[in-house]
PDB file of all heavy atoms in Angstrom:
ATOM      1  N   LEU A 397       7.104  -4.078  18.780  1.00 96.00           N
ATOM      2  CA  LEU A 397       8.179  -4.330  19.729  1.00 96.00           C
ATOM      3  C   LEU A 397       7.916  -3.571  21.021  1.00 96.00           C
ATOM      4  O   LEU A 397       7.345  -2.472  21.011  1.00 96.00           O
ATOM      5  CB  LEU A 397       9.523  -3.890  19.146  1.00 96.00           C
ATOM      6  CG  LEU A 397      10.068  -4.680  17.954  1.00 96.00           C
ATOM      7  CD1 LEU A 397      11.397  -4.082  17.498  1.00 96.00           C
ATOM      8  CD2 LEU A 397      10.252  -6.140  18.303  1.00 96.00           C
ATOM      9  N   LYS A 438      31.841  -1.854  -4.543  1.00 91.00           N
ATOM     10  CA  LYS A 438      33.268  -1.573  -4.729  1.00 91.00           C
ATOM     11  C   LYS A 438      33.633  -0.160  -4.279  1.00 91.00           C
ATOM     12  O   LYS A 438      34.750   0.086  -3.837  1.00 91.00           O
ATOM     13  CB  LYS A 438      33.638  -1.764  -6.195  1.00 91.00           C
ATOM     14  CG  LYS A 438      33.368  -3.157  -6.733  1.00 91.00           C
ATOM     15  CD  LYS A 438      33.642  -3.227  -8.225  1.00 91.00           C
ATOM     16  CE  LYS A 438      33.285  -4.597  -8.790  1.00 91.00           C
ATOM     17  NZ  LYS A 438      33.497  -4.652 -10.276  1.00 91.00           N
ATOM     18  N   ASN A 447      33.424   4.412   8.531  1.00 91.00           N
ATOM     19  CA  ASN A 447      32.942   5.736   8.934  1.00 91.00           C
ATOM     20  C   ASN A 447      31.685   5.697   9.793  1.00 91.00           C
ATOM     21  O   ASN A 447      31.426   6.640  10.551  1.00 91.00           O
ATOM     22  CB  ASN A 447      32.669   6.596   7.698  1.00 91.00           C
ATOM     23  CG  ASN A 447      33.930   6.830   6.879  1.00 91.00           C
ATOM     24  OD1 ASN A 447      35.044   6.749   7.395  1.00 91.00           O
ATOM     25  ND2 ASN A 447      33.761   7.117   5.597  1.00 91.00           N
ATOM     26  N   GLY A 449      30.538   2.654  11.497  1.00 87.00           N
ATOM     27  CA  GLY A 449      30.558   1.611  12.515  1.00 87.00           C
ATOM     28  C   GLY A 449      29.541   0.507  12.297  1.00 87.00           C
ATOM     29  O   GLY A 449      29.033  -0.061  13.274  1.00 87.00           O
ATOM     30  N   GLN A 453      27.123  -7.268   7.411  1.00 93.00           N
ATOM     31  CA  GLN A 453      25.800  -7.539   6.857  1.00 93.00           C
ATOM     32  C   GLN A 453      24.947  -6.278   6.812  1.00 93.00           C
ATOM     33  O   GLN A 453      24.204  -6.050   5.854  1.00 93.00           O
ATOM     34  CB  GLN A 453      25.101  -8.625   7.684  1.00 93.00           C
ATOM     35  CG  GLN A 453      23.966  -9.338   6.965  1.00 93.00           C
ATOM     36  CD  GLN A 453      24.435 -10.155   5.778  1.00 93.00           C
ATOM     37  OE1 GLN A 453      25.637 -10.403   5.610  1.00 93.00           O
ATOM     38  NE2 GLN A 453      23.510 -10.579   4.947  1.00 93.00           N
ATOM     39  N   ARG A 485       9.606  19.303 -12.010  1.00 90.00           N
ATOM     40  CA  ARG A 485       9.610  18.198 -11.054  1.00 90.00           C
ATOM     41  C   ARG A 485      10.531  17.076 -11.508  1.00 90.00           C
ATOM     42  O   ARG A 485      11.300  16.523 -10.715  1.00 90.00           O
ATOM     43  CB  ARG A 485       8.185  17.683 -10.882  1.00 90.00           C
ATOM     44  CG  ARG A 485       8.047  16.541  -9.888  1.00 90.00           C
ATOM     45  CD  ARG A 485       6.634  15.991  -9.888  1.00 90.00           C
ATOM     46  NE  ARG A 485       6.506  14.840  -9.019  1.00 90.00           N
ATOM     47  CZ  ARG A 485       5.469  14.008  -9.041  1.00 90.00           C
ATOM     48  NH1 ARG A 485       4.465  14.228  -9.876  1.00 90.00           N
ATOM     49  NH2 ARG A 485       5.416  12.974  -8.221  1.00 90.00           N
ATOM     50  N   LEU A 490      15.903  14.243 -11.179  1.00 91.00           N
ATOM     51  CA  LEU A 490      17.121  13.762 -11.833  1.00 91.00           C
ATOM     52  C   LEU A 490      18.373  14.407 -11.252  1.00 91.00           C
ATOM     53  O   LEU A 490      19.435  13.785 -11.226  1.00 91.00           O
ATOM     54  CB  LEU A 490      17.047  14.046 -13.340  1.00 91.00           C
ATOM     55  CG  LEU A 490      16.059  13.204 -14.151  1.00 91.00           C
ATOM     56  CD1 LEU A 490      15.924  13.753 -15.565  1.00 91.00           C
ATOM     57  CD2 LEU A 490      16.515  11.746 -14.192  1.00 91.00           C
ATOM     58  N   PHE A 532       8.148  -8.624  22.022  1.00 95.00           N
ATOM     59  CA  PHE A 532       7.190  -8.156  21.019  1.00 95.00           C
ATOM     60  C   PHE A 532       5.819  -8.744  21.339  1.00 95.00           C
ATOM     61  O   PHE A 532       5.698  -9.730  22.058  1.00 95.00           O
ATOM     62  CB  PHE A 532       7.624  -8.533  19.597  1.00 95.00           C
ATOM     63  CG  PHE A 532       7.536  -9.999  19.267  1.00 95.00           C
ATOM     64  CD1 PHE A 532       6.368 -10.549  18.761  1.00 95.00           C
ATOM     65  CD2 PHE A 532       8.628 -10.829  19.449  1.00 95.00           C
ATOM     66  CE1 PHE A 532       6.285 -11.899  18.459  1.00 95.00           C
ATOM     67  CE2 PHE A 532       8.567 -12.175  19.144  1.00 95.00           C
ATOM     68  CZ  PHE A 532       7.380 -12.719  18.644  1.00 95.00           C
ATOM     69  N   SER A 623       0.126  24.279  19.583  1.00 91.00           N
ATOM     70  CA  SER A 623      -0.869  23.263  19.934  1.00 91.00           C
ATOM     71  C   SER A 623      -1.565  22.712  18.688  1.00 91.00           C
ATOM     72  O   SER A 623      -1.884  21.514  18.630  1.00 91.00           O
ATOM     73  CB  SER A 623      -1.902  23.856  20.894  1.00 91.00           C
ATOM     74  OG  SER A 623      -2.567  24.955  20.297  1.00 91.00           O
ATOM     75  N   LEU A 628      -2.200  18.214  14.890  1.00 84.00           N
ATOM     76  CA  LEU A 628      -2.061  17.687  13.530  1.00 84.00           C
ATOM     77  C   LEU A 628      -1.162  16.458  13.512  1.00 84.00           C
ATOM     78  O   LEU A 628      -1.455  15.455  12.846  1.00 84.00           O
ATOM     79  CB  LEU A 628      -1.481  18.768  12.609  1.00 84.00           C
ATOM     80  CG  LEU A 628      -2.454  19.799  12.053  1.00 84.00           C
ATOM     81  CD1 LEU A 628      -1.684  20.924  11.362  1.00 84.00           C
ATOM     82  CD2 LEU A 628      -3.427  19.153  11.072  1.00 84.00           C
ATOM     83  N   THR A 657     -20.742 -18.939  -2.843  1.00 92.00           N
ATOM     84  CA  THR A 657     -21.487 -19.227  -4.070  1.00 92.00           C
ATOM     85  C   THR A 657     -20.655 -19.961  -5.119  1.00 92.00           C
ATOM     86  O   THR A 657     -21.179 -20.301  -6.185  1.00 92.00           O
ATOM     87  CB  THR A 657     -22.022 -17.923  -4.675  1.00 92.00           C
ATOM     88  OG1 THR A 657     -20.926 -17.030  -4.934  1.00 92.00           O
ATOM     89  CG2 THR A 657     -23.002 -17.255  -3.727  1.00 92.00           C
ATOM     90  N   LEU A 663     -13.217  -7.643 -11.286  1.00 91.00           N
ATOM     91  CA  LEU A 663     -12.951  -6.271 -10.866  1.00 91.00           C
ATOM     92  C   LEU A 663     -12.670  -5.402 -12.088  1.00 91.00           C
ATOM     93  O   LEU A 663     -12.228  -5.891 -13.127  1.00 91.00           O
ATOM     94  CB  LEU A 663     -11.740  -6.215  -9.926  1.00 91.00           C
ATOM     95  CG  LEU A 663     -11.872  -6.934  -8.585  1.00 91.00           C
ATOM     96  CD1 LEU A 663     -10.525  -6.966  -7.874  1.00 91.00           C
ATOM     97  CD2 LEU A 663     -12.900  -6.242  -7.710  1.00 91.00           C
ATOM     98  N   SER A 685      -8.798  11.179  -3.102  1.00 57.00           N
ATOM     99  CA  SER A 685      -8.816  10.454  -1.822  1.00 57.00           C
ATOM    100  C   SER A 685      -9.542   9.122  -1.932  1.00 57.00           C
ATOM    101  O   SER A 685      -9.698   8.418  -0.936  1.00 57.00           O
ATOM    102  CB  SER A 685      -9.479  11.319  -0.740  1.00 57.00           C
ATOM    103  OG  SER A 685     -10.819  11.605  -1.077  1.00 57.00           O
ATOM    104  N   SER A 687      -9.805   5.467  -2.428  1.00 72.00           N
ATOM    105  CA  SER A 687      -8.814   4.395  -2.273  1.00 72.00           C
ATOM    106  C   SER A 687      -9.259   3.117  -2.975  1.00 72.00           C
ATOM    107  O   SER A 687      -9.286   2.043  -2.377  1.00 72.00           O
ATOM    108  CB  SER A 687      -8.565   4.126  -0.781  1.00 72.00           C
ATOM    109  OG  SER A 687      -9.776   3.822  -0.124  1.00 72.00           O
ATOM    110  N   PHE A 688      -9.620   3.234  -4.269  1.00 76.00           N
ATOM    111  CA  PHE A 688     -10.084   2.051  -5.004  1.00 76.00           C
ATOM    112  C   PHE A 688      -8.961   1.049  -5.205  1.00 76.00           C
ATOM    113  O   PHE A 688      -9.192  -0.164  -5.218  1.00 76.00           O
ATOM    114  CB  PHE A 688     -10.648   2.491  -6.367  1.00 76.00           C
ATOM    115  CG  PHE A 688      -9.623   3.063  -7.303  1.00 76.00           C
ATOM    116  CD1 PHE A 688      -8.911   2.257  -8.154  1.00 76.00           C
ATOM    117  CD2 PHE A 688      -9.366   4.427  -7.323  1.00 76.00           C
ATOM    118  CE1 PHE A 688      -7.954   2.781  -9.011  1.00 76.00           C
ATOM    119  CE2 PHE A 688      -8.420   4.959  -8.180  1.00 76.00           C
ATOM    120  CZ  PHE A 688      -7.713   4.140  -9.023  1.00 76.00           C
ATOM    121  N   ALA A 705     -10.934 -17.287  -7.941  1.00 93.00           N
ATOM    122  CA  ALA A 705     -10.397 -16.686  -9.153  1.00 93.00           C
ATOM    123  C   ALA A 705     -10.723 -15.195  -9.200  1.00 93.00           C
ATOM    124  O   ALA A 705     -11.819 -14.772  -8.811  1.00 93.00           O
ATOM    125  CB  ALA A 705     -10.967 -17.380 -10.390  1.00 93.00           C
TER     126      ALA A 705
END
Side-chain angles (χ1 to χ4, degrees):
L397 292 179
K438 301 175 184 177
N447 298 336
Q453 200 66 13
R485 181 186 176 194
L490 289 170
F532 70 88
S623 60
L628 278 170
T657 58
L663 296 171
S685 62
S687 56
F688 66 88

